[in-house]
């Protein structure tokens, strides 16, 4: 039997997590619209691995991807073609794989700073490699994977990641969300 205080605490934690997911998803809308097709999904994946339990982290990654696709098709007039749908799905799969990579590597790191860096490096590398593999498999690995373009995508994701991490610290300080409960150290939601 739970007490009223325990139930209120659980509801508060859930609402804080939901607020965090909604905030990051909302910022993804801004990023998706402002940067066209370069949503910082690798940054979202690394952030989710560091700040949320597994189910919630996966939910954040999926919501960010769905929001990105909605912005693309509704606001940016992406063409409704099989190729565009296939790339959209590949982006979603790549984001989930990047999240999985970040979740997998962070438990082996002992320092918080190293975990922050390793989570991002793993998420970004796997995200980009998955997209490149899809491009090769479908016969398109052109300009989108040049060092210049990948470097630009890296910068966008790195800046977004730092911003997300700072925003998380502020949200924790204001008691809007609970301190990080990384997916890598938490068995399940």
């Amino acid at each position: 039997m739970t007490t009223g205080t325990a139930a209120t605490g659980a509801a508060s934690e859930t609402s804080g997590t939901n607020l965090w997911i909604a905030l990051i998803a909302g910022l993804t809308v801004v990023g998706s619209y402002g940067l066209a097709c370069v949503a910082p999904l690798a940054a979202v994946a690394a952030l989710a691995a560091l700040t949320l339990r597994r189910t919630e982290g996966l939910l954040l990654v999926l919501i960010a991807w769905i929001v990105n696709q909605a912005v693309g098709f509704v606001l940016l007039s992406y063409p409704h073609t099989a190729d565009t749908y296939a790339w959209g799905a590949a982006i979603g799969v790549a984001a989930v794989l990047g999240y999985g990579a970040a979740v997998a590597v962070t438990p082996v790191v002992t320092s918080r700073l190293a975990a922050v860096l390793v989570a991002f490096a793993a998420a970004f590398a796997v995200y980009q490699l998955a997209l490149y593999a899809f491009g090769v498999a479908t016969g398109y690995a052109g300009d989108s994977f040049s060092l210049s373009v990948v470097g630009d995508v890296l910068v966008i994701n790195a800046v977004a990641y730092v911003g997300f991490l700072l925003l998380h610290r502020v949200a924790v300080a204001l008691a809007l969300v609970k301190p990080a409960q990384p997916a890598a150290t938490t068995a399940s939601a």
Side-chain angles (χ1 to χ4, degrees):
M1 180 178 203
T2 60
T3 65
T5 305
T8 303
S12 175
E13 182 176 340
T14 300
S15 65
T17 299
N18 292 342
L19 172 67
W20 181 238
I21 290 171
L23 179 62
I24 298 304
L27 289 173
T28 302
V29 169
V30 173
S32 296
Y33 188 70
L35 300 169
C37 64
V38 186
L41 294 176
V44 171
L47 178 78
L50 289 175
T51 62
L52 296 167
R53 292 179 288 221
R54 278 193 183 126
T55 303
E56 295 161 340
L58 180 60
L59 181 64
L60 172 57
V61 171
L62 290 172
I63 289 171
W65 167 71
I66 289 167
V67 165
N68 168 258
Q69 294 301 297
V71 167
F73 285 105
V74 174
L75 298 177
L76 299 175
S77 301
Y78 287 0
H80 292 274
T81 63
D83 184 53
T84 307
Y85 295 140
W87 273 103
I91 290 168
V93 169
V96 169
L97 291 173
Y99 171 68
V103 168
V105 299
T106 53
V108 300
V109 181
T110 56
S111 106
R112 176 73 179 158
L113 176 60
V116 166
L117 296 173
V118 167
F120 179 74
F124 185 79
V126 169
Y127 177 75
Q128 285 297 307
L129 286 170
L131 290 176
Y132 184 74
F134 180 77
V136 169
T138 59
Y140 177 78
D143 300 4
S144 298
F145 298 103
S146 69
L147 283 178
S148 174
V149 171
V150 172
D152 290 345
V153 173
L154 174 62
V155 168
I156 289 166
N157 274 272
V159 169
Y161 187 54
V162 169
F164 290 157
L165 290 170
L166 291 173
L167 185 59
H168 187 261
R169 289 193 58 98
V170 168
V172 168
L174 295 174
L176 298 173
V177 298
K178 295 276 186 189
Q181 298 179 348
T185 59
T186 308
S188 179

